Amino acid sequence: MTALQHVKLGAYYVVTMPEPDDFDFWRERARALVQCDVPPDRVAWVEPGGSGNLFSHGERRMPVPDRDAPQVRASRAFVTLAKNAILHTDTERFALLYRLLWRHQANPRIMEDKTDGDVRRIDELARIVRRDSHKMHAFVRFRLVEESDEEEAGEHYVAWFEPEHHILRANAGFFMRRFANMKWSILTPRGSLHWDGKVMEEGPPAQRSDAPAGDPAEDLWRKYYASTFNPSRLKIGAMLKEMPKKYWKNMPEASLIPELVAGAQARESAMVAAGEVKDEARPDTLAAIEKALGICRRCPIGELGTNAVMGEGPSDASFMIVGEQPGDQEDMQGRPFVGPAGQLLDMHLAEAGIERKSAYVTNTVKHFKYVMRGKRRLHQSPTAKEIDSCRWWVDSERALVKPKLVLALGASAARGVLGRTVSISRARGVPQMLDDGSELWITAHPSYLLRLEGPAREEQERLFTADLAAVAARLTELVA
Ligand code: URA
Protein backbone atom coordinates (compact mmCIF):
# COMPACT_ATOMS: atom_id res chain seq x y z
CA MET A 1 0.00 0.00 0.00
CA THR A 2 1.41 3.44 -0.88
CA ALA A 3 1.54 6.38 1.49
CA LEU A 4 -1.19 8.08 -0.46
CA GLN A 5 -3.45 5.07 -0.05
CA HIS A 6 -2.82 5.17 3.70
CA VAL A 7 -3.97 8.76 3.82
CA LYS A 8 -6.99 8.03 1.72
CA LEU A 9 -7.86 5.28 4.17
CA GLY A 10 -7.89 7.86 6.94
CA ALA A 11 -4.50 7.13 8.55
CA TYR A 12 -3.01 9.59 11.03
CA TYR A 13 0.66 10.27 11.35
CA VAL A 14 2.23 11.06 14.68
CA VAL A 15 5.53 12.86 14.69
CA THR A 16 7.26 13.04 18.05
CA MET A 17 9.84 15.77 18.16
CA PRO A 18 13.20 14.68 19.65
CA GLU A 19 13.89 18.23 20.92
CA PRO A 20 11.50 21.17 21.29
CA ASP A 21 13.70 23.40 19.08
CA ASP A 22 14.81 20.94 16.36
CA PHE A 23 13.98 22.80 13.17
CA ASP A 24 15.94 20.42 10.92
CA PHE A 25 14.03 17.41 12.21
CA TRP A 26 10.69 19.20 11.76
CA ARG A 27 11.67 20.27 8.24
CA GLU A 28 12.69 16.79 7.15
CA ARG A 29 9.47 15.22 8.46
CA ALA A 30 7.27 18.04 7.14
CA ARG A 31 8.77 17.77 3.65
CA ALA A 32 8.16 14.03 3.51
CA LEU A 33 4.57 14.48 4.69
CA VAL A 34 3.87 17.18 2.09
CA GLN A 35 5.40 15.01 -0.62
CA CYS A 36 3.11 12.18 0.44
CA ASP A 37 0.14 14.54 0.28
CA VAL A 38 -0.70 14.21 3.98
CA PRO A 39 -3.01 17.10 4.87
CA PRO A 40 -2.43 19.01 8.12
CA ASP A 41 -5.46 17.52 9.88
CA ARG A 42 -3.94 14.04 9.49
CA VAL A 43 -0.73 14.83 11.37
CA ALA A 44 -0.26 15.06 15.11
CA TRP A 45 2.94 16.81 16.17
CA VAL A 46 4.00 15.80 19.64
CA GLU A 47 6.40 17.55 22.02
CA PRO A 48 9.44 15.54 23.22
CA GLY A 49 8.30 13.15 25.91
CA GLY A 50 4.65 13.71 24.96
CA SER A 51 2.35 10.95 23.81
CA GLY A 52 0.45 10.46 20.60
CA ASN A 53 -2.10 8.20 22.29
CA LEU A 54 -5.01 10.14 20.92
CA PHE A 55 -4.06 8.83 17.55
CA SER A 56 -3.21 5.29 18.53
CA HIS A 57 -5.89 3.99 16.23
CA GLY A 58 -4.13 5.44 13.19
CA GLU A 59 -0.94 4.92 11.23
CA ARG A 60 2.19 5.91 13.18
CA ARG A 61 5.03 5.18 10.79
CA MET A 62 6.32 7.99 8.60
CA PRO A 63 5.23 7.73 4.98
CA VAL A 64 8.03 7.50 2.41
CA PRO A 65 7.66 9.85 -0.56
CA ASP A 66 7.81 8.43 -4.08
CA ARG A 67 11.06 9.10 -5.94
CA ASP A 68 9.33 11.38 -8.41
CA ALA A 69 7.39 13.30 -5.75
CA PRO A 70 7.34 17.04 -6.52
CA GLN A 71 9.74 19.43 -4.79
CA VAL A 72 8.37 21.10 -1.67
CA ARG A 73 8.04 24.86 -1.94
CA ALA A 74 8.80 27.20 0.95
CA SER A 75 9.49 30.92 0.67
CA ARG A 76 12.54 32.38 2.34
CA ALA A 77 10.26 34.58 4.49
CA PHE A 78 8.55 31.45 5.80
CA VAL A 79 11.78 29.63 6.60
CA THR A 80 13.20 32.63 8.44
CA LEU A 81 10.08 33.02 10.56
CA ALA A 82 9.70 29.28 11.10
CA LYS A 83 13.24 28.98 12.51
CA ASN A 84 12.31 31.45 15.22
CA ALA A 85 8.68 30.43 15.72
CA ILE A 86 9.64 26.82 16.42
CA LEU A 87 11.47 28.01 19.53
CA HIS A 88 8.20 29.26 21.06
CA THR A 89 6.63 27.17 23.82
CA ASP A 90 3.20 27.17 22.14
CA THR A 91 2.34 23.47 21.72
CA GLU A 92 0.51 24.25 18.47
CA ARG A 93 3.60 25.66 16.76
CA PHE A 94 4.68 22.53 14.83
CA ALA A 95 1.15 22.09 13.46
CA LEU A 96 0.94 25.77 12.54
CA LEU A 97 4.22 25.56 10.64
CA TYR A 98 3.10 22.43 8.86
CA ARG A 99 -0.22 24.03 7.90
CA LEU A 100 1.62 27.00 6.44
CA LEU A 101 4.05 24.78 4.57
CA TRP A 102 1.15 22.80 3.19
CA ARG A 103 -0.68 25.94 2.12
CA HIS A 104 2.51 27.22 0.43
CA GLN A 105 2.24 24.48 -2.16
CA ALA A 106 -0.97 25.94 -3.57
CA ASN A 107 -0.08 29.56 -2.85
CA PRO A 108 3.68 30.26 -2.85
CA ARG A 109 2.99 33.93 -1.95
CA ILE A 110 0.95 33.14 1.11
CA MET A 111 3.39 34.88 3.45
CA GLU A 112 2.58 38.20 1.80
CA ASP A 113 -1.01 38.01 3.02
CA LYS A 114 -0.76 39.79 6.35
CA THR A 115 -4.50 39.37 6.98
CA ASP A 116 -4.21 35.57 7.01
CA GLY A 117 -4.59 34.15 10.53
CA ASP A 118 -1.76 31.61 10.19
CA VAL A 119 0.62 34.20 8.76
CA ARG A 120 -0.20 36.59 11.59
CA ARG A 121 0.32 33.89 14.18
CA ILE A 122 3.73 32.79 12.88
CA ASP A 123 4.76 36.45 12.77
CA GLU A 124 3.70 36.85 16.36
CA LEU A 125 5.47 33.72 17.60
CA ALA A 126 8.68 34.72 15.83
CA ARG A 127 8.50 38.24 17.26
CA ILE A 128 8.03 36.94 20.82
CA VAL A 129 10.98 34.57 20.41
CA ARG A 130 13.21 37.34 19.03
CA ARG A 131 12.30 39.47 22.02
CA ASP A 132 13.16 36.62 24.41
CA SER A 133 16.56 36.22 22.69
CA HIS A 134 17.16 39.93 22.89
CA LYS A 135 16.43 39.86 26.62
CA MET A 136 18.85 37.00 27.04
CA HIS A 137 21.59 38.93 25.23
CA ALA A 138 20.94 41.97 27.37
CA PHE A 139 20.22 40.49 30.79
CA VAL A 140 22.49 37.48 31.26
CA ARG A 141 24.92 38.45 34.02
CA PHE A 142 27.95 36.29 34.70
CA ARG A 143 29.23 35.83 38.20
CA LEU A 144 32.78 34.85 38.91
CA VAL A 145 33.46 31.54 40.62
CA GLU A 146 36.98 30.30 41.35
CA GLU A 147 37.82 26.80 40.22
CA SER A 148 38.85 24.58 43.09
CA ASP A 149 40.39 21.78 41.03
CA GLU A 150 44.09 22.65 40.54
CA GLU A 151 44.39 21.12 37.09
CA GLU A 152 41.52 23.22 35.87
CA ALA A 153 42.53 26.35 37.75
CA GLY A 154 41.25 29.60 36.33
CA GLU A 155 38.29 31.87 36.42
CA HIS A 156 34.90 30.50 35.60
CA TYR A 157 31.85 32.67 35.13
CA VAL A 158 28.37 31.37 35.76
CA ALA A 159 25.05 32.99 34.86
CA TRP A 160 21.51 32.08 35.76
CA PHE A 161 18.79 32.98 33.29
CA GLU A 162 15.13 32.06 32.85
CA PRO A 163 14.18 32.17 29.19
CA GLU A 164 10.49 32.04 28.44
CA HIS A 165 10.99 30.00 25.27
CA HIS A 166 13.33 27.33 23.89
CA ILE A 167 16.01 29.84 22.92
CA LEU A 168 19.03 28.52 24.80
CA ARG A 169 20.65 26.42 22.08
CA ALA A 170 19.85 28.94 19.37
CA ASN A 171 21.78 31.60 21.27
CA ALA A 172 24.83 29.50 22.14
CA GLY A 173 26.79 30.96 19.20
CA PHE A 174 26.10 34.51 20.33
CA PHE A 175 27.57 33.95 23.78
CA MET A 176 30.42 31.86 22.42
CA ARG A 177 31.54 34.69 20.12
CA ARG A 178 30.80 37.39 22.67
CA PHE A 179 32.75 35.74 25.50
CA ALA A 180 35.14 33.63 23.44
CA ASN A 181 38.05 33.99 25.84
CA MET A 182 36.16 33.34 29.03
CA LYS A 183 35.25 30.06 30.61
CA TRP A 184 31.54 30.24 31.34
CA SER A 185 28.29 28.40 31.98
CA ILE A 186 24.76 29.59 31.44
CA LEU A 187 22.30 27.73 33.64
CA THR A 188 18.58 27.77 32.91
CA PRO A 189 15.55 25.68 33.89
CA ARG A 190 15.44 24.45 30.28
CA GLY A 191 19.05 23.25 30.04
CA SER A 192 22.56 24.60 30.38
CA LEU A 193 25.50 25.60 28.22
CA HIS A 194 29.16 25.24 29.18
CA TRP A 195 32.01 26.87 27.26
CA ASP A 196 35.64 26.18 28.17
CA GLY A 197 37.21 28.48 25.58
CA LYS A 198 37.30 25.71 22.95
CA VAL A 199 34.32 23.41 23.20
CA MET A 200 30.64 24.05 23.87
CA GLU A 201 28.78 21.43 25.83
CA GLU A 202 25.12 21.16 26.62
CA GLY A 203 24.02 20.11 30.07
CA PRO A 204 20.79 19.33 31.93
CA PRO A 205 18.30 21.87 33.31
CA ALA A 206 19.50 23.66 36.41
CA GLN A 207 18.05 25.48 39.41
CA ARG A 208 18.72 28.98 40.56
CA SER A 209 20.53 27.64 43.63
CA ASP A 210 23.12 26.00 41.33
CA ALA A 211 24.40 29.46 40.32
CA PRO A 212 26.43 31.70 42.62
CA ALA A 213 24.77 34.81 44.03
CA GLY A 214 27.42 37.49 43.47
CA ASP A 215 31.08 38.35 42.96
CA PRO A 216 33.49 41.27 43.21
CA ALA A 217 33.14 42.27 39.53
CA GLU A 218 29.55 43.20 40.28
CA ASP A 219 30.58 46.02 42.53
CA LEU A 220 32.37 47.62 39.64
CA TRP A 221 29.41 46.94 37.40
CA ARG A 222 27.07 48.66 39.84
CA LYS A 223 29.34 51.68 40.03
CA TYR A 224 29.33 51.92 36.29
CA TYR A 225 25.55 51.64 36.11
CA ALA A 226 25.07 54.27 38.78
CA SER A 227 27.41 56.67 37.05
CA THR A 228 25.69 56.31 33.68
CA PHE A 229 22.20 56.52 35.16
CA ASN A 230 20.75 59.81 33.98
CA PRO A 231 17.90 60.95 36.23
CA SER A 232 16.87 63.70 33.85
CA ARG A 233 15.97 61.02 31.29
CA LEU A 234 14.14 58.85 33.80
CA LYS A 235 11.05 57.23 32.33
CA ILE A 236 9.98 54.43 34.59
CA GLY A 237 7.63 52.86 32.03
CA ALA A 238 10.35 52.70 29.39
CA MET A 239 12.86 51.44 31.90
CA LEU A 240 10.61 48.58 32.97
CA LYS A 241 10.07 47.67 29.35
CA GLU A 242 13.79 47.72 28.67
CA MET A 243 14.69 45.84 31.82
CA PRO A 244 11.61 43.91 32.98
CA LYS A 245 11.41 43.36 36.73
CA LYS A 246 11.50 39.61 36.24
CA TYR A 247 15.22 39.88 35.31
CA TRP A 248 16.22 42.27 38.08
CA LYS A 249 17.08 39.49 40.49
CA ASN A 250 19.89 38.27 38.22
CA MET A 251 21.38 41.68 37.54
CA PRO A 252 23.82 43.26 39.94
CA GLU A 253 22.88 46.80 38.91
CA ALA A 254 19.19 46.15 39.50
CA SER A 255 19.56 46.44 43.25
CA LEU A 256 20.31 50.10 42.68
CA ILE A 257 17.16 50.88 40.73
CA PRO A 258 14.71 51.65 43.56
CA GLU A 259 17.29 53.86 45.23
CA LEU A 260 18.18 55.60 42.00
CA VAL A 261 14.57 56.21 41.11
CA ALA A 262 13.76 57.50 44.58
CA GLY A 263 16.69 59.89 44.55
CA ALA A 264 16.27 60.96 40.95
CA GLN A 265 15.18 64.54 41.57
CA ALA A 266 17.87 65.23 44.13
CA ARG A 267 20.50 63.59 41.96
CA GLU A 268 19.45 65.60 38.95
CA SER A 269 20.09 68.87 40.77
CA ALA A 270 23.36 67.56 42.16
CA MET A 271 24.50 66.41 38.72
CA VAL A 272 23.58 69.72 37.16
CA ALA A 273 25.56 71.48 39.85
CA ALA A 274 28.53 69.14 39.76
CA GLY A 275 28.38 68.55 36.02
CA GLU A 276 30.18 65.22 36.31
CA VAL A 277 30.24 61.75 37.75
CA LYS A 278 32.11 61.49 41.02
CA ASP A 279 35.65 60.16 40.72
CA GLU A 280 35.29 57.64 43.52
CA ALA A 281 32.75 55.72 41.43
CA ARG A 282 35.48 54.77 38.97
CA PRO A 283 37.47 51.51 38.86
CA ASP A 284 40.80 51.93 40.58
CA THR A 285 43.12 49.93 38.30
CA LEU A 286 43.49 49.36 34.58
CA ALA A 287 43.19 45.63 35.24
CA ALA A 288 39.79 46.26 36.86
CA ILE A 289 38.67 48.16 33.78
CA GLU A 290 39.81 45.38 31.51
CA LYS A 291 37.99 42.80 33.57
CA ALA A 292 34.77 44.80 33.63
CA LEU A 293 34.97 45.49 29.89
CA GLY A 294 34.86 41.75 29.32
CA ILE A 295 31.28 41.66 30.59
CA CYS A 296 30.23 45.16 29.54
CA ARG A 297 26.76 45.33 28.02
CA ARG A 298 26.05 49.03 28.16
CA CYS A 299 27.22 49.60 24.63
CA PRO A 300 24.89 48.13 21.99
CA ILE A 301 27.90 47.32 19.79
CA GLY A 302 28.79 44.54 22.20
CA GLU A 303 25.74 42.71 20.82
CA LEU A 304 27.70 42.08 17.63
CA GLY A 305 29.70 39.53 19.49
CA THR A 306 33.12 41.11 19.23
CA ASN A 307 35.85 41.21 21.88
CA ALA A 308 36.37 44.25 24.06
CA VAL A 309 39.80 45.72 23.23
CA MET A 310 41.49 47.38 26.17
CA GLY A 311 44.07 50.15 25.85
CA GLU A 312 47.75 49.23 26.10
CA GLY A 313 50.97 50.94 27.07
CA PRO A 314 52.64 52.23 30.24
CA SER A 315 50.12 52.80 33.02
CA ASP A 316 51.79 56.14 33.80
CA ALA A 317 52.38 57.33 30.23
CA SER A 318 52.59 61.10 29.69
CA PHE A 319 51.12 60.65 26.24
CA MET A 320 47.79 59.00 25.45
CA ILE A 321 46.52 58.28 21.95
CA VAL A 322 42.78 57.76 21.57
CA GLY A 323 41.34 56.14 18.43
CA GLU A 324 37.76 55.47 17.43
CA GLN A 325 37.16 51.75 17.89
CA PRO A 326 39.00 48.49 17.23
CA GLY A 327 38.87 47.24 13.65
CA ASP A 328 38.74 43.69 12.34
CA GLN A 329 42.42 42.96 13.12
CA GLU A 330 42.27 44.63 16.51
CA ASP A 331 39.18 42.63 17.44
CA MET A 332 40.91 39.38 16.53
CA GLN A 333 44.23 40.19 18.18
CA GLY A 334 42.70 41.97 21.18
CA ARG A 335 45.10 44.95 20.82
CA PRO A 336 44.50 48.51 19.60
CA PHE A 337 45.93 49.82 16.32
CA VAL A 338 47.53 46.66 14.94
CA GLY A 339 45.79 46.71 11.52
CA PRO A 340 46.42 48.95 8.47
CA ALA A 341 45.46 52.19 10.29
CA GLY A 342 47.81 51.21 13.12
CA GLN A 343 50.67 50.63 10.68
CA LEU A 344 50.19 54.07 9.15
CA LEU A 345 50.02 55.59 12.62
CA ASP A 346 53.23 53.83 13.68
CA MET A 347 55.00 55.13 10.61
CA HIS A 348 53.99 58.73 11.30
CA LEU A 349 54.79 58.47 15.00
CA ALA A 350 58.28 57.20 14.15
CA GLU A 351 58.71 60.02 11.64
CA ALA A 352 57.75 62.54 14.34
CA GLY A 353 60.27 60.95 16.71
CA ILE A 354 57.63 59.56 19.08
CA GLU A 355 58.14 56.05 20.38
CA ARG A 356 54.81 54.21 20.24
CA LYS A 357 55.90 52.09 23.20
CA SER A 358 56.03 55.22 25.36
CA ALA A 359 52.37 56.04 24.66
CA TYR A 360 49.21 54.59 26.17
CA VAL A 361 47.13 53.71 23.09
CA THR A 362 43.40 53.18 23.44
CA ASN A 363 40.02 53.64 21.77
CA THR A 364 36.88 55.59 22.54
CA VAL A 365 34.61 52.63 21.81
CA LYS A 366 35.85 49.28 23.00
CA HIS A 367 34.09 46.94 20.57
CA PHE A 368 34.31 46.58 16.81
CA LYS A 369 31.12 47.75 15.08
CA TYR A 370 30.62 46.19 11.67
CA VAL A 371 28.18 44.95 9.06
CA MET A 372 28.69 41.67 7.22
CA ARG A 373 29.35 41.94 3.47
CA GLY A 374 29.63 38.38 2.27
CA LYS A 375 32.28 36.92 4.54
CA ARG A 376 33.87 40.30 5.36
CA ARG A 377 33.17 42.42 8.39
CA LEU A 378 32.98 46.02 7.24
CA HIS A 379 33.66 48.81 9.71
CA GLN A 380 30.76 51.04 10.70
CA SER A 381 31.21 54.29 12.58
CA PRO A 382 29.77 54.34 16.08
CA THR A 383 26.83 56.67 16.70
CA ALA A 384 27.12 59.61 19.10
CA LYS A 385 25.01 57.61 21.57
CA GLU A 386 27.35 54.63 21.39
CA ILE A 387 30.38 56.87 21.87
CA ASP A 388 28.73 58.54 24.83
CA SER A 389 27.86 55.25 26.51
CA CYS A 390 31.48 54.06 26.15
CA ARG A 391 32.97 57.39 27.22
CA TRP A 392 33.04 56.38 30.83
CA TRP A 393 35.72 53.80 30.09
CA VAL A 394 38.12 56.11 28.31
CA ASP A 395 37.54 58.73 31.01
CA SER A 396 38.40 56.08 33.59
CA GLU A 397 41.59 55.17 31.72
CA ARG A 398 42.56 58.85 31.61
CA ALA A 399 41.85 59.22 35.32
CA LEU A 400 44.26 56.35 36.08
CA VAL A 401 47.04 56.95 33.53
CA LYS A 402 46.97 60.74 34.00
CA PRO A 403 48.61 61.65 30.69
CA LYS A 404 49.85 65.18 30.21
CA LEU A 405 48.86 65.18 26.58
CA VAL A 406 46.00 63.33 24.89
CA LEU A 407 45.89 63.00 21.11
CA ALA A 408 42.44 62.25 19.70
CA LEU A 409 42.45 60.68 16.25
CA GLY A 410 39.32 61.72 14.36
CA ALA A 411 35.89 63.02 15.26
CA SER A 412 34.69 59.99 17.25
CA ALA A 413 37.76 60.09 19.47
CA ALA A 414 37.40 63.84 19.95
CA ARG A 415 33.80 63.34 21.04
CA GLY A 416 34.85 60.46 23.29
CA VAL A 417 37.26 62.74 25.15
CA LEU A 418 35.35 66.03 25.03
CA GLY A 419 31.76 64.79 25.16
CA ARG A 420 30.74 66.96 22.22
CA THR A 421 31.22 66.97 18.47
CA VAL A 422 33.98 69.11 16.98
CA SER A 423 35.13 69.79 13.45
CA ILE A 424 38.57 68.29 12.84
CA SER A 425 39.62 70.98 10.39
CA ARG A 426 38.87 73.67 12.96
CA ALA A 427 40.13 71.86 16.03
CA ARG A 428 43.41 70.44 14.73
CA GLY A 429 46.64 72.05 15.84
CA VAL A 430 44.88 74.04 18.62
CA PRO A 431 45.38 72.38 22.01
CA GLN A 432 42.51 72.49 24.48
CA MET A 433 42.77 72.28 28.24
CA LEU A 434 40.89 69.35 29.75
CA ASP A 435 39.38 69.56 33.22
CA ASP A 436 42.24 67.56 34.79
CA GLY A 437 44.78 70.05 33.45
CA SER A 438 46.01 67.86 30.59
CA GLU A 439 46.06 69.04 26.99
CA LEU A 440 43.92 67.63 24.25
CA TRP A 441 45.23 67.71 20.70
CA ILE A 442 43.01 66.65 17.86
CA THR A 443 43.97 65.41 14.41
CA ALA A 444 42.53 63.27 11.62
CA HIS A 445 42.14 59.52 11.92
CA PRO A 446 44.72 57.48 9.94
CA SER A 447 41.88 55.42 8.40
CA TYR A 448 40.64 58.62 6.82
CA LEU A 449 44.02 59.05 5.17
CA LEU A 450 43.94 55.47 3.96
CA ARG A 451 40.66 56.10 2.16
CA LEU A 452 42.10 59.03 0.14
CA GLU A 453 44.13 58.96 -3.05
CA GLY A 454 46.30 61.28 -5.12
CA PRO A 455 46.68 64.95 -4.16
CA ALA A 456 43.97 64.78 -1.47
CA ARG A 457 45.94 62.01 0.27
CA GLU A 458 49.20 63.94 -0.05
CA GLU A 459 47.61 67.04 1.45
CA GLN A 460 46.16 65.12 4.39
CA GLU A 461 49.43 63.26 5.01
CA ARG A 462 51.18 66.62 5.13
CA LEU A 463 48.69 67.97 7.70
CA PHE A 464 48.91 64.78 9.76
CA THR A 465 52.72 64.93 9.77
CA ALA A 466 52.59 68.57 10.86
CA ASP A 467 50.11 67.75 13.67
CA LEU A 468 52.30 64.94 14.99
CA ALA A 469 55.41 67.10 14.80
CA ALA A 470 53.63 69.77 16.89
CA VAL A 471 52.53 67.12 19.39
CA ALA A 472 56.09 65.75 19.61
CA ALA A 473 57.46 69.25 20.29
CA ARG A 474 54.85 69.93 22.96
CA LEU A 475 55.49 66.58 24.63
CA THR A 476 59.15 67.41 24.94
CA GLU A 477 58.22 70.62 26.75
CA LEU A 478 55.67 68.91 29.00
CA VAL A 479 57.92 66.09 30.17
CA ALA A 480 61.08 68.21 30.46
N1 URA B 1 41.06 52.33 14.25
C1 URA B 1 40.92 52.80 15.52
O1 URA B 1 40.37 53.86 15.75
N2 URA B 1 41.41 52.07 16.49
C2 URA B 1 42.02 50.92 16.32
O2 URA B 1 42.41 50.31 17.30
C3 URA B 1 42.16 50.46 15.00
C4 URA B 1 41.68 51.17 13.96
Side-chain angles (χ1 to χ4, degrees), residues 141-430:
R141 289 287 179 270
F142 287 104
R143 272 134 184 166
L144 182 61
V145 289
E146 304 291 339
E147 296 277 276
S148 51
D149 179 343
E150 290 207 352
E151 292 252 312
E152 296 245 327
E155 289 178 343
H156 185 180
Y157 292 83
V158 178
W160 168 252
F161 188 72
E162 290 167 65
E164 284 175 29
H165 301 281
H166 302 292
I167 57 166
L168 183 64
R169 192 177 289 131
N171 285 292
F174 171 88
F175 287 96
M176 199 175 82
R177 288 189 298 278
R178 181 77 177 73
F179 299 107
N181 302 324
M182 281 165 46
K183 203 166 161 192
W184 53 259
S185 299
I186 299 179
L187 311 182
T188 87
R190 297 182 184 279
S192 48
L193 293 174
H194 307 275
W195 172 250
D196 67 0
K198 293 190 194 82
V199 178
M200 178 77 78
E201 275 183 18
E202 289 181 17
Q207 296 176 356
R208 175 191 297 282
S209 55
D210 296 333
D215 79 20
E218 293 186 358
D219 198 34
L220 183 56
W221 190 264
R222 269 193 287 269
K223 284 177 180 171
Y224 174 63
Y225 185 78
S227 74
T228 56
F229 181 85
N230 184 344
S232 61
R233 299 224 193 100
L234 180 64
K235 289 198 185 87
I236 294 175
M239 191 165 107
L240 286 177
K241 200 164 157 210
E242 195 187 316
M243 193 200 282
K245 263 193 163 164
K246 171 177 170 201
Y247 299 103
W248 287 19
K249 53 188 180 295
N250 302 324
M251 303 173 67
E253 68 269 35
S255 62
L256 295 173
I257 292 173
E259 186 194 319
L260 290 171
V261 171
Q265 291 296 328
R267 278 170 54 83
E268 182 172 7
S269 327
M271 276 174 78
V272 170
E276 258 303 332
V277 169
K278 287 201 205 93
D279 275 355
E280 62 263 31
R282 296 192 175 281
D284 48 11
T285 62
L286 292 172
I289 295 181
E290 183 165 17
K291 190 167 177 182
L293 277 178
I295 53 171
C296 177
R297 293 301 173 78
R298 300 300 302 171
C299 172
I301 303 174
E303 299 278 321
L304 284 168
T306 60
N307 292 310
V309 176
M310 176 66 183
E312 68 174 20
S315 57
D316 58 351
S318 306
F319 181 35
M320 180 180 277
I321 300 175
V322 182
E324 181 193 73
Q325 60 166 330
D328 183 65
Q329 290 293 320
E330 287 78 15
D331 175 44
M332 286 190 293
Q333 296 186 38
R335 292 183 52 211
F337 282 106
V338 290
Q343 283 156 20
L344 188 64
L345 175 66
D346 287 353
M347 197 189 86
H348 279 274
L349 286 173
E351 204 177 294
I354 302 172
E355 247 199 299
R356 170 165 169 166
K357 275 198 298 201
S358 68
Y360 183 89
V361 183
T362 192
N363 281 300
T364 301
V365 169
K366 305 301 185 194
H367 291 95
F368 175 35
K369 181 178 179 185
Y370 62 88
V371 279
M372 289 306 290
R373 285 279 176 278
K375 289 194 175 151
R376 292 183 59 217
R377 303 191 297 174
L378 285 194
H379 164 275
Q380 278 206 309
S381 300
T383 62
K385 200 169 161 208
E386 286 159 348
I387 294 172
D388 293 347
S389 57
C390 242
R391 239 191 112 208
W392 195 80
W393 296 117
V394 78
D395 274 357
S396 301
E397 287 174 287
R398 270 182 50 221
L400 289 166
V401 177
K402 299 189 177 56
K404 293 192 162 76
L405 193 154
V406 178
L407 175 65
L409 303 174
S412 299
R415 186 181 174 102
V417 178
L418 280 175
R420 62 189 160 81
T421 300
V422 292
S423 139
I424 300 297
S425 56
R426 265 185 259 139
R428 74 189 317 162
V430 188

Side-chain angles (χ1 to χ4, degrees), residues 426-458:
R426 265 185 259 139
R428 74 189 317 162
V430 188
Q432 306 188 37
M433 179 80 86
L434 295 173
D435 49 13
D436 61 356
S438 60
E439 282 178 22
L440 171 67
W441 290 64
I442 296 173
T443 186
H445 193 286
S447 299
Y448 169 63
L449 271 55
L450 287 173
R451 288 195 297 272
L452 299 174
E453 283 177 355
R457 166 86 179 249
E458 279 167 28

